[in-house]
């Protein structure tokens, strides 16, 4: 890249100066409707924080990846897995989903093992209101072809997850660490999920072979069902989420709608610099998300809810004519220390907001929440370590059988 030029500095300075004028104009309007509130007194509680990490490496015939999640509070819990997939349908999104599944399972199991409150890194609302596009289209195609057969298979798969959940939780309680077998939809020990379900006597799979030509798409669907299964259980407990990076403009949108012509021509900028300009003190600023259509769940998921599945998720959603328009989540901007950074806090409406915030403050120090910081540092997968581990595994496999090498070559080898 070329050396930094004065032109680049001037362009960014001009952008920031103009933005400051916009912020000042919006600040006066926002101050009419919103204000910072003082933080409540800390309230002692058993608070756990959860975070996850992932890493991938693209090989000549497959993609190898690692996912990990940790829950840190009075005890430390870890779940690690490494796997290999063919580059079929949105692999990066599916690896991210795998990590999300582990995070939400760890959060729920921490609650089931005695935590009063679990803090998730990021947001809860995005997990609820934005089903992955690749899953939505795949599910609709499968349901249009297989209907009730698919519905019954999904119900039997979820029953299997319920039983497996108990085994995972008990092992986590005893050992504190889980390794491997974290995604039953991908099978285990060389056995496909369809075979595993057959052995359990699943009538939907055993009765006919309607599923044979759609195996890969069914695995993608089952992965998503694992995610909804974990998310639904998490929403049944006391949970909150803190996001470090976010681009929300709900306060600005709300104020512009109320002020009308007075703010005409003001650009739609994000909330953070505007609310930061209202006060430099510690505190929190509650607001509401602007409701707008976000799409809907595939019919299969709706049918599963009718059959009694995902009830915590259903109660959290705000629906309008079959469309998701929001979630019953209370958001607030929070500053833990004077002059500190602003974070986005989300708390489900069913919980007492101030009590939840008070419990978070019992484990906060200066600008941030200590368990979330520890969770992040404990779980991060470093690229150098991951590459070394993968190379050792691949070398052992090729040494065992040279035919594996066509799957395991690395395209960037000549450049390194």
């Amino acid at each position: 890249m070329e050396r930094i030029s004065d032109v680049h500095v001037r362009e960014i300075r001009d952008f920031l100066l103009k933005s400051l004028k916009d912020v000042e104009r919006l600040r006066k309007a926002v101050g009419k409707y919103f204000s910072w509130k003082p933080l409540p007194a800390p309230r002692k509680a058993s608070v756990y924080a959860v975070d996850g990490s992932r890493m991938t490496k693209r090989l000549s015939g497959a993609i190898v990846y690692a996912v990990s999640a940790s829950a840190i509070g009075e005890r430390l819990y870890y779940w690690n897995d490494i796997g290999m997939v063919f580059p079929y349908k949105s692999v990066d999104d599916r690896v991210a989903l795998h990590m999300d599944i582990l995070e939400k399972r760890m959060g729920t199991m921490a609650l089931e093992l005695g935590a009063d409150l679990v803090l998730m890194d990021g947001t809860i609302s995005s997990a609820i209101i934005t089903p992955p596009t690749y899953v939505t289209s795949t599910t609709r195609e499968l349901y249009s072809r297989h209907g009730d057969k698919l519905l019954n298979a999904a119900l039997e798969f979820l029953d299997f997850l319920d039983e497996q959940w108990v085994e995972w939780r008990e092992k986590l309680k005893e050992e504190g660490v889980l390794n491997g077998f974290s995604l039953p939809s991908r099978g285990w020990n060389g056995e496909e999920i369809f075979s595993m379900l057959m052995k359990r006597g699943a009538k939907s799979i055993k009765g006919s072979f309607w599923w044979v030509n759609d195996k890969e798409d069914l695995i993608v669907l089952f992965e998503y069902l694992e995610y909804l299964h974990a998310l639904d259980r998490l929403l049944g407990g006391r949970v909150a989420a803190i996001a470090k990076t976010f681009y929300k403009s709900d306060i600005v949108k709300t104020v512009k709608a109320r002020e009308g012509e007075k703010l005409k021509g003001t650009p739609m900028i994000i909330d953070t610099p505007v609310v930061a300009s209202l006060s430099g003190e510690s505190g929190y600023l509650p607001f509401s998300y602007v409701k707008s259509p976000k799409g809907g769940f595939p019919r299969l998921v709706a049918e599963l809810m009718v059959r009694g599945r995902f009830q915590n998720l259903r109660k959290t959603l705000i629906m309008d004519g079959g469309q998701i328009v929001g979630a019953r989540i209370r958001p607030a901007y929070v500053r833990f220390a004077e002059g500190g950074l602003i974070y986005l806090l989300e708390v489900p409406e069913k919980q007492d907001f101030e009590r939840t915030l008070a419990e978070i403050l019992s484990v906060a120090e200066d600008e941030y929440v200590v368990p979330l910081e520890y969770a992040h540092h404990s779980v991060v997968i470093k690229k150098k370590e991951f590459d070394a581990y993968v190379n050792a595994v691949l070398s052992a496999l090729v040494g065992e059988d040279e035919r594996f090498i066509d799957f395991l070559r690395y395209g960037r080898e000549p450049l390194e």
Side-chain angles (χ1 to χ4, degrees):
M1 185 175 177
E2 294 181 4
R3 188 170 298 179
I4 294 174
S5 165
D6 289 344
V7 174
H8 302 149
V9 175
R10 285 198 302 272
E11 286 178 351
I12 295 174
R13 182 192 299 118
D14 292 344
F15 172 83
L16 292 173
L17 288 172
K18 181 180 181 304
S19 297
L20 285 173
K21 292 179 182 178
D22 295 329
V23 166
E24 179 59 24
R25 188 178 175 193
L26 285 164
R27 183 186 68 81
K28 295 176 181 178
V30 168
K32 292 163 57 177
Y33 303 100
F34 297 92
S35 61
W36 284 89
K37 299 178 181 295
L39 295 173
R43 175 172 176 159
K44 188 173 178 58
S46 174
V47 180
Y48 276 72
V50 174
D51 202 358
S53 183
R54 66 184 187 272
M55 188 69 68
T56 61
K57 186 167 185 175
R58 296 175 181 274
L59 306 173
S60 54
I63 297 170
V64 63
Y65 71 92
V67 287
S68 185
S70 69
I72 294 185
E74 295 169 0
R75 288 189 62 187
L76 308 180
Y77 299 114
Y78 292 96
W79 199 337
N80 311 301
D81 203 357
I82 187 166
M84 182 172 283
V85 292
F86 290 119
Y88 179 81
K89 280 200 177 180
S90 308
V91 169
D92 290 333
D93 291 334
R94 290 169 64 194
V95 171
L97 190 74
H98 192 169
M99 182 192 73
D100 285 343
I101 290 168
L102 293 193
E103 287 181 350
K104 287 164 179 60
R105 284 181 184 159
M106 289 293 277
T108 308
M109 289 181 187
L111 288 165
E112 292 176 353
L113 294 175
D116 296 320
L117 176 69
V118 160
L119 296 179
M120 307 299 292
D121 183 63
T123 63
I124 304 171
S125 57
S126 60
I128 296 170
I129 65 179
T130 52
T133 303
Y134 75 93
V135 169
T136 301
S137 58
T138 299
T139 304
R140 284 174 178 155
E141 291 170 10
L142 287 170
Y143 195 74
S144 67
R145 287 201 297 272
H146 303 300
D148 285 346
K149 292 177 181 177
L150 180 63
L151 175 60
N152 291 329
L155 287 166
E156 291 185 306
F157 178 65
L158 291 169
D159 288 340
F160 171 62
L161 288 181
D162 286 341
E163 294 180 17
Q164 188 60 49
W165 185 281
V166 177
E167 293 184 25
W168 283 326
R169 186 186 60 214
E170 292 309 305
K171 187 173 182 182
L172 188 68
K173 180 180 179 180
E174 292 173 9
E175 302 179 13
V177 179
L178 292 174
N179 285 303
F181 190 42
S182 63
L183 212 60
S185 49
R186 300 236 185 104
W188 180 241
N189 282 338
E191 185 176 16
E192 292 183 335
I193 181 58
F194 310 103
S195 173
M196 294 164 69
L197 290 174
M198 276 188 189
K199 287 181 178 178
R200 284 174 44 84
K203 295 178 181 178
S204 61
I205 301 294
K206 201 171 183 179
S208 66
F209 294 96
W210 58 271
W211 46 269
V212 172
N213 292 327
D214 286 314
K215 280 185 180 181
E216 291 297 331
D217 283 341
L218 283 167
I219 289 170
V220 170
L221 168 60
F222 284 175
E223 289 170 4
Y224 182 54
L225 292 181
E226 292 199 51
Y227 172 76
L228 292 179
H229 182 264
L231 173 62
D232 182 69
R233 281 177 173 258
L234 180 67
L235 292 172
R238 296 190 66 245
V239 62
I242 296 178
K244 302 182 290 293
T245 304
F246 48 90
Y247 299 104
K248 301 289 186 182
S249 55
D250 295 83
I251 286 179
V252 171
K253 287 178 183 176
T254 299
V255 170
K256 288 189 71 172
R258 291 177 181 176
E259 293 288 289
E261 289 293 319
K262 294 180 183 178
L263 292 178
K264 188 176 181 180
T266 307
M268 187 61 69
I269 65 177
I270 61 174
D271 290 340
T272 312
V274 181
V275 298
S277 70
L278 295 177
S279 171
E281 300 294 317
S282 62
Y284 71 100
L285 192 153
F287 65 99
S288 297
Y289 286 136
V290 175
K291 294 181 177 62
S292 61
K294 306 291 195 303
F297 281 115
R299 184 180 168 189
L300 173 67
V301 176
E303 289 292 336
L304 288 169
M305 289 180 177
V306 171
R307 300 290 187 96
R309 284 292 182 172
F310 310 140
Q311 292 305 293
N312 295 315
L313 175 58
R314 182 186 63 79
K315 292 173 185 175
T316 308
L317 290 169
I318 300 173
M319 305 289 290
D320 183 12
Q323 294 288 303
I324 302 170
V325 295
R328 292 180 175 85
I329 300 290
R330 289 194 184 97
Y333 294 118
V334 179
R335 188 190 278 124
F336 293 106
E338 182 179 347
L341 295 170
I342 291 175
Y343 299 96
L344 174 63
L345 170 65
E346 290 188 340
V347 177
E349 287 183 0
K350 66 177 184 175
Q351 293 172 212
D352 183 286
F353 185 91
E354 286 228 348
R355 175 188 167 185
T356 301
L357 179 54
E359 290 173 344
I360 293 171
L361 290 170
S362 74
V363 292
E365 186 175 310
D366 294 328
E367 286 193 54
Y368 200 45
V369 179
V370 174
L372 273 176
E373 183 178 352
Y374 287 169
H376 171 75
H377 289 300
S378 72
V379 79
V380 66
I381 301 172
K382 297 178 181 177
K383 186 178 186 305
K384 187 174 181 180
E385 293 176 1
F386 173 70
D387 285 344
Y389 181 81
V390 169
N391 289 339
V393 170
L394 300 187
S395 295
L397 289 169
V398 172
E400 180 182 306
D401 192 331
E402 290 187 359
R403 293 174 300 172
F404 293 156
I405 198 167
D406 290 334
F407 290 95
L408 307 180
R409 299 299 296 271
Y410 181 44
R412 296 182 62 85
E413 283 175 7
L415 304 179
E416 297 184 349

